[in-house]
Amino acid sequence: MRFAETWTSATLVATRDLTADIREFLLRPDAPVAAFAPGSHINVGVEIDGRPEMRSYSLVGEADAKGLRIAVRRAPDSRGGSRYMWQLAPGARLNVTLPSSQFQIDWTRSSYCLVAGGIGITPILGIAQVLARRDADFVLHYAVRSRRDAAYLHELQALLGDRLVVHAGGDGERLDLAATFAKLPPQAMTLFCGPMRMLEAARHAWAGAGRALSDLSYETFGSSGLLPTEAFRVRLADAGVELVIPSDRSMLDVLNAAGHEVISDCRRGECGVCAIDVVGIEGEIDHRDVFFSDHQKRENRKICPCVSRARGLITVDTLHRTQAA
Ligand SMILES: Cc1cc2nc3c(=O)[nH]c(=O)nc-3n(C[C@H](O)[C@H](O)[C@H](O)COP(=O)(O)OP(=O)(O)OC[C@H]3O[C@@H](n4cnc5c(N)ncnc54)[C@H](O)[C@@H]3O)c2cc1C
């Protein structure tokens, strides 16, 4: 398994409201936690409608003897992971994984551009701390609705001074990604964390500026997609059955629960391990992964069932032959 995980129990030591919708949680794991790479995250066991589930949360700031800091945005149209976190009180016991990171950061660059959208500031904060300590050449662009919604704003202002640029979209200060990337020195690396739509815009602007995609390292927290999250139908070409994917479950979970095994790994639309063939579409696919290229998404020949959804009916071939001789 590429994303191997070690679980430990932990105590919620304290909570702190950072904005009206973002709450910080200080967790103390029972197992010792070694220093972790900036940009790392942990997985947290949550309970949704009585079912055990898991949600990932980035670690805020560098390793600290007090414990692990995470900050959770209360998601309004959610299946319930963030709601579960918000009802926890100090003293609560949780299961968490030890930190791991998927951010690819080349620390030898002479220049960096950090871009955070909303709650995407959580992994970027620790990266900014390291770069500031090294006195590196970098700017952090922090895109938020308003300054009131900007978690850790005062901490960042104190740490970064004019290396922090806040773009409050609701106040007409939208982040112009194309102009930002055009001004960067050729060797610059961009580290991005924000919602899927913003990531798509960043990837387009980055390619438009003639830069190598490998110089844009990113993480996204899961997507609300381009279409509304609604129920859709999946026909399995190989098994001749049709399944309904309700709005609160992923296609991957429904396929596996119905015995049509699809292997998976990251379950976030990043690794592509669960990708299956699409052989027919009577409706529209909403690709919510960041694994396939724009071209592959337009071709609609494969789908990542862990995050992607559809409208109407799609026919897929899982290539899993239960009756195979
Ligand atoms: C590496 C990583 C780090 C993260 N770090 C943070 C962090 O620091 N802070 C933080 O707040 N969050 C973070 N997240 C997101 C977090 O893991 C949860 O996804 C988030 O708390 C929302 O969970 P939820 O169950 O409340 O919402 P979900 O139900 O997961 O809803 C989240 C979004 O998905 C859409 N959605 C709803 N139902 C479905 C469905 N059936 N299928 C697909 N999409 C659906 C909704 O429109 C909603 O916008 C991180 C995620 C990852 C992968």
Side-chain angles (χ1 to χ4, degrees):
M1 174 132 169
R2 204 147 56 89
F3 296 100
E5 290 168 341
T6 309
W7 287 85
T8 176
S9 39
T11 302
L12 172 59
V13 179
T15 63
R16 176 167 71 115
D17 285 350
L18 303 171
T19 72
D21 290 318
I22 302 176
R23 179 170 293 172
E24 184 185 79
F25 297 78
L26 178 64
L27 304 171
R28 190 173 303 131
D30 294 351
V33 178
F36 49 84
S40 295
H41 67 273
I42 56 171
N43 295 324
V44 179
V46 299
E47 211 176 276
I48 300 176
D49 296 334
R51 283 197 310 264
E53 295 242 0
M54 186 193 87
R55 291 292 184 266
S56 307
Y57 294 104
S58 299
L59 293 169
V60 178
E62 295 181 88
D64 184 329
K66 286 189 204 139
L68 300 173
R69 263 198 303 166
I70 59 172
V72 179
R73 186 182 77 90
R74 190 166 41 178
D77 55 351
S78 129
R79 284 165 289 185
S82 55
R83 226 180 6 259
Y84 174 85
M85 293 301 296
W86 270 63
Q87 55 81 44
L88 294 173
R93 298 282 289 161
L94 290 161
N95 289 319
V96 302
T97 58
L98 296 181
S100 66
S101 175
Q102 269 125 55
F103 256 113
Q104 307 287 325
I105 306 177
D106 175 357
W107 295 102
T108 66
R109 299 296 172 101
S110 52
S111 180
Y112 298 85
C113 173
L114 309 185
V115 181
I119 187 66
I121 194 62
T122 47
I124 298 291
L125 194 142
I127 297 171
Q129 283 175 329
V130 173
L131 291 175
R133 205 177 45 247
R134 294 179 173 201
D135 205 17
D137 173 36
F138 76 100
V139 172
L140 165 53
H141 294 275
Y142 188 8
V144 285
R145 245 188 344 241
S146 75
R147 281 173 174 68
R148 259 198 327 277
D149 300 308
Y152 301 112
L153 185 57
H154 299 304
E155 199 166 330
L156 287 164
Q157 279 167 335
L159 177 74
L160 304 179
D162 58 11
R163 286 187 292 193
L164 172 71
V165 185
V166 178
H167 305 265
D171 300 334
E173 303 166 3
R174 291 189 72 78
L175 169 58
D176 183 340
L177 288 163
T180 303
F181 294 157
K183 277 189 248 150
L184 293 175
Q187 285 308 308
M189 178 165 205
T190 286
L191 306 170
F192 171 99
C193 186
M196 183 78 105
R197 275 172 198 266
M198 190 177 165
L199 173 61
E200 294 284 302
R203 295 212 302 181
H204 279 114
W206 192 252
R211 291 173 182 272
L213 273 181
S214 53
D215 287 347
L216 172 68
S217 182
Y218 57 80
E219 190 162 83
T220 182
F221 288 174
S223 160
S224 49
L226 300 175
L227 299 176
T229 300
E230 57 185 37
F232 63 101
R233 287 174 298 137
V234 173
R235 186 177 293 149
L236 286 119
D238 39 341
V241 293
E242 200 174 293
L243 299 168
V244 173
I245 316 297
S247 61
D248 63 349
R249 298 192 70 193
S250 72
M251 184 174 150
L252 178 71
D253 285 344
V254 174
L255 287 171
N256 280 328
H260 306 283
E261 191 197 345
V262 177
I263 57 160
S264 62
D265 197 340
C266 75
R267 301 175 76 94
R268 289 198 296 268
E270 289 173 9
C271 72
V273 167
C274 67
I276 53 177
D277 290 343
V278 176
V279 294
I281 305 171
E282 291 163 49
E284 209 179 336
I285 292 186
D286 189 10
H287 290 283
R288 298 180 175 193
D289 62 278
V290 289
F291 176 73
F292 293 127
S293 66
D294 292 348
H295 176 69
Q296 287 170 313
K297 287 178 183 174
R298 274 194 301 275
E299 278 190 335
N300 274 336
R301 288 165 64 174
K302 283 189 178 286
I303 184 170
C304 286
C306 62
V307 291
S308 293
R309 304 188 63 82
R311 172 184 276 165
L313 168 68
I314 60 171
T315 305
V316 299
D317 189 342
T318 63
L319 301 177
H320 177 68
R321 307 279 184 261
T322 43
Q323 303 305 321

